[in-house]
């Protein structure tokens, strides 16, 4: 794999909040996206995810607690935890998330 410029990869995305997978590490996918000040609805995942702010600021609501993640900081969202992006989030975000386990039938 070659060197990836994360800021250029995010800037090249067609829309804010649309992510681009950059690669995989074990079962985890590394993605980049652009934030655009608009909120994103609440969600929860079956596995943990890391949110790493390259530039700008990520404003989160995490189970009714407000969290601000600044440039150069990361936040670990535990599996199953409800979280939403609050208005005012902007910049470049890297997400590292493990693939969810398939459900047993």
């Amino acid at each position: 794999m070659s060197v990836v410029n994360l800021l250029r990869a995010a800037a090249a995305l067609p829309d804010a909040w649309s992510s681009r997978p950059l690669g995989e590490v074990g079962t985890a996918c590394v993605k980049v996206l652009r934030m655009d000040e608009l909120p994103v609805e609440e969600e929860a995942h079956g596995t943990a995810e890391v949110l790493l702010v390259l530039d700008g600021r990520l404003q989160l609501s995490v189970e009714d607690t407000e969290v601000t993640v600044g440039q150069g900081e990361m936040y670990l969202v535990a599996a199953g935890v409800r979280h939403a992006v609050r208005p005012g989030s902007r910049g470049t975000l890297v997400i590292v998330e493990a693939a969810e386990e398939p459900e047993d039938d």
Side-chain angles (χ1 to χ4, degrees):
M1 172 159 202
S2 60
V3 173
V4 175
N5 183 306
L6 299 171
L7 299 176
R8 271 193 234 140
L13 292 168
D15 299 305
W17 298 109
S18 65
S19 62
R20 175 181 168 212
L22 300 174
E24 294 181 2
V25 179
T27 62
C29 180
V30 179
K31 302 187 293 187
V32 66
L33 60 82
R34 264 184 304 114
M35 301 178 280
D36 72 348
E37 304 273 345
L38 296 177
V40 176
E41 291 184 20
E42 183 177 85
E43 61 184 3
H45 310 282
T47 61
E49 68 179 353
V50 171
L51 306 174
L52 171 63
V53 177
L54 292 182
D55 64 5
R57 177 181 67 235
L58 174 61
Q59 304 284 109
L60 294 172
S61 291
V62 181
E63 296 203 335
D64 303 321
T65 300
E66 293 188 1
V67 176
T68 299
V69 187
Q71 180 171 320
E73 296 179 330
M74 66 173 244
Y75 186 80
L76 175 63
V77 180
V81 171
R82 297 181 341 268
H83 59 287
V85 177
R86 298 189 336 256
S89 298
R90 59 176 169 65
T92 308
L93 181 66
V94 173
I95 300 173
V96 180
E97 60 185 8
E100 294 203 26
E101 297 287 325
E103 293 184 24
D104 294 332
D105 292 330

